[in-house]
Amino acid sequence: MTTLSQNEESAVRAFLDEQRSGFLTELGEWLRIASVSAEPERAGEVRKSAEWLASRLASIGFPTAEVWETGTAAEPGAPAVFAEWPASDPEAPTVLVYGHHDVQPAAVEDGWFTDPFEPTEREGRLYARGAADDKGQVFFHTLGLRAHLAATGRTAPAVHLKLLVEGEEESGSPHFADLLRARAARLECDAVIVSDTGMWGRETPTVCTGMRGLLDLQIDLAGPDQDIHSGSFGGAVPNPATEAARLAAALHDDERRVTLPGFYDNVVELTAEERRLFAELPFDEDAWLRTAHSHATLGEHGYSTLERVWARPTAEVNGIGGGYQGPGGKTIVPSAARLKLSFRLVEGQDAAQVEDALRTWVAERLPAGIRHEITSGGSTRPCLTPLDHPALRSLVRAMGRAFETSVGLTREGGSGPAADLRDVLGAPVLFLGISVPSDGWHAPNEKVELDLLLKGAETAAYLWSELAEWRPSDGV
């Protein structure tokens, strides 16, 4: 480590210690705004949240801080916040930080031990809805930026810095892709930092390198025009409940691989290096099973549990139903049945192609006399950052400096708008999150570990100097 970096780290940590109290007071103000995008009656709070953030960003020095409307006049969406602070060096890379300011619904009767919109500090943790997901992780960037400026003596960031903080992520980001396309010129960047993820654990800092995509579908099956007597007609006419069960059973082979033709054709396979890095993580499968409330693991043959949930595509039967469900028996052939399916997709897969394959596969398997309809609940695309990308290496170095230890690499099994950011803006997506699994996203008593929140700010403080050394024209 050079003397220059040692001096910067000392200055950053001194600044963070000095500003800790004020930072938490301001974060508490924002957390008190109940910006629940899923509840129409909270629309005013979501707008208040956006306006609060824009005002705060302007007060710390962003020359541009704007509230952006989303949707249309006929179908308005929740407001997003955009801010921009150019670097002094016109050749510096441009970095966009993404997060969201809306939160999940919460009420004391859900099981909170405090008012979810009255932040409570207890034993080094801050409890409130949005403390980790995602206001806390957005707001640490404001402290990190100020620490970066104070420690380096700069009057502007070392990179051209932009922020985009949406207000509808917890409602599925219905207007986000359109917003990106409409504002692409203003959002142009060389890299995107997503701070809406977590890391392995407080003793094992990690950087996420990818998220899976999602395809949600429902198959409705219809047979007889009404429920009919199973003694008079059973065994002689097609039964939609039986056909639903046959489809569900045929979706995987004996090695738990998805049987849709072409499903794996374009999958980007795990590299040997990724498999090694995943295997080095301190994974306790028994503990993981307890969090899953399951009694055993099961999945695609030849892959570990972490590989299955992070890097392999899946098909899940989310629900199956039809016919009589009441007490006792009712001897019928039901008139209708349904399957609810979700597919988690990985880099290289396309949701539209998977849906087309499913439609063909279902049509080929159903007997005459069974009508069917397949409806889509929407999709998101997978996103993956190459391990050798120089911007990723910059992020890993910055986090390593903050945590003073080596930093591992992970993926996440869930889905989000990262692929929209990558595809519309044409920039690699990097994930900087400090939340840990015990933070309880979407659950009662959501919290954030305060020391980790400050480590996030410290990582951000170093990141801009690290990324300033990168020139996108140099390639990967």
Side-chain angles (χ1 to χ4, degrees):
M1 183 184 297
T2 66
T3 301
L4 179 62
S5 64
Q6 288 176 328
N7 290 341
E8 181 184 3
E9 288 163 14
S10 296
V12 164
R13 288 168 184 156
F15 184 89
L16 296 178
D17 286 342
E18 177 186 327
Q19 298 295 321
R20 179 186 187 279
S21 177
F23 166 74
L24 293 178
T25 296
E26 290 177 339
L27 175 58
E29 291 179 11
W30 197 19
L31 292 170
R32 289 185 180 92
I33 303 173
S35 50
V36 182
S37 61
E39 298 177 349
E41 64 271 21
R42 301 274 200 180
E45 291 289 284
V46 178
R47 180 165 299 278
K48 181 180 178 182
S49 171
E51 292 171 348
W52 185 96
L53 178 59
S55 175
R56 180 60 190 134
L57 293 173
S59 72
I60 68 172
F62 276 87
T64 300
E66 303 169 351
V67 174
W68 283 357
E69 302 302 326
T70 66
T72 63
E75 186 183 327
V81 176
F82 172 76
E84 183 175 11
W85 195 335
S88 300
D89 177 5
E91 300 300 316
T94 299
V95 182
L96 173 72
V97 173
Y98 164 86
H100 63 90
H101 67 91
D102 65 320
V103 299
Q104 281 280 312
V108 172
E109 52 267 30
D110 296 336
W112 288 76
F113 51 68
T114 60
D115 183 337
F117 296 106
E118 184 53 50
T120 303
E121 187 174 341
R122 180 185 298 179
E123 297 178 344
R125 298 162 178 159
L126 183 65
Y127 292 86
R129 177 59 88 217
D133 181 24
D134 185 37
K135 288 179 177 177
Q137 299 206 96
V138 168
F139 205 56
F140 75 56
H141 282 283
T142 66
L143 181 59
L145 175 58
R146 290 190 293 133
H148 165 69
L149 297 176
T152 61
R154 296 176 180 272
T155 57
V159 298
H160 302 300
L161 187 59
K162 300 179 181 181
L163 270 70
L164 179 62
V165 186
E166 72 159 313
E168 296 183 321
E169 195 275 343
E170 299 293 8
S171 296
S173 301
H175 302 103
F176 188 64
D178 288 340
L179 176 67
L180 291 178
R181 286 188 283 266
R183 301 279 192 165
R186 296 285 302 278
L187 296 169
E188 185 177 1
C189 60
D190 299 305
V192 177
I193 304 294
V194 171
S195 284
D196 187 25
T197 55
M199 59 184 193
W200 181 266
R202 59 178 303 113
E203 305 301 330
T204 309
T206 54
V207 169
C208 175
T209 62
M211 301 184 78
R212 294 192 292 186
L214 174 65
L215 173 62
D216 181 32
L217 296 163
Q218 178 170 313
I219 306 172
D220 288 287
L221 305 177
D225 293 333
Q226 64 179 39
D227 293 351
I228 56 177
H229 193 287
S230 66
S232 300
F233 304 104
V237 297
N239 183 321
T242 299
E243 297 308 318
R246 288 171 64 88
L247 287 176
L251 195 56
H252 298 87
D253 65 18
D254 290 342
E255 293 190 339
R256 307 292 167 168
R257 286 174 60 86
V258 179
T259 57
L260 297 186
F263 186 73
Y264 296 96
D265 284 357
N266 299 311
V267 165
V268 174
E269 298 289 343
L270 278 161
T271 66
E273 175 68 2
E274 286 176 303
R275 300 190 82 168
R276 182 187 67 80
L277 291 169
F278 291 177
E280 288 179 351
L281 292 167
F283 179 57
D284 182 337
E285 191 163 273
D286 289 337
W288 181 87
L289 278 170
R290 287 193 292 273
T291 66
H293 302 283
S294 179
H295 304 286
T297 61
L298 183 66
E300 185 182 0
H301 179 74
Y303 294 91
S304 70
T305 298
L306 290 182
E307 291 168 350
R308 290 168 180 165
V309 297
W310 285 349
R312 297 302 295 167
T314 65
E316 292 294 338
V317 177
N318 307 129
I320 182 169
Y324 182 65
Q325 303 292 326
K330 187 177 183 183
T331 53
I332 60 167
V333 175
S335 62
R338 73 199 59 84
L339 278 173
K340 290 182 178 289
L341 306 175
S342 64
F343 294 85
R344 296 288 176 171
L345 309 177
V346 299
E347 189 76 353
Q349 290 183 298
D350 179 78
Q353 292 177 354
V354 173
E355 182 175 339
D356 287 345
L358 179 78
R359 289 180 180 277
T360 301
W361 182 84
V362 169
E364 291 175 347
R365 274 165 173 72
L366 292 178
I370 294 291
R371 294 151 289 151
H372 75 281
E373 180 180 7
I374 300 177
T375 54
S376 173
S379 65
T380 58
R381 294 184 301 284
C383 185
L384 183 65
T385 305
L387 295 190
D388 58 351
H389 198 287
L392 175 61
R393 292 198 295 266
S394 295
L395 175 54
V396 170
R397 284 196 302 270
M399 180 174 274
R401 292 172 65 184
F403 282 84
E404 300 181 273
T405 189
S406 60
V407 173
L409 298 177
T410 65
R411 296 194 200 178
E412 290 203 2
S415 307
D420 287 331
L421 288 156
R422 178 198 61 190
D423 295 345
V424 176
L425 303 182
V429 173
L430 314 171
F431 299 90
L432 168 55
I434 51 76
S435 183
V436 291
S438 62
D439 284 346
W441 291 25
H442 298 195
N445 303 312
E446 177 187 346
K447 55 85 176 171
V448 68
E449 303 282 338
L450 293 178
D451 60 337
L452 297 183
L453 194 64
L454 294 175
K455 286 297 183 185
E458 187 176 348
T459 300
Y462 303 142
L463 181 57
W464 313 132
S465 296
E466 293 281 357
L467 280 173
E469 302 301 318
W470 168 53
R471 289 296 180 268
S473 58
D474 295 339
V476 176

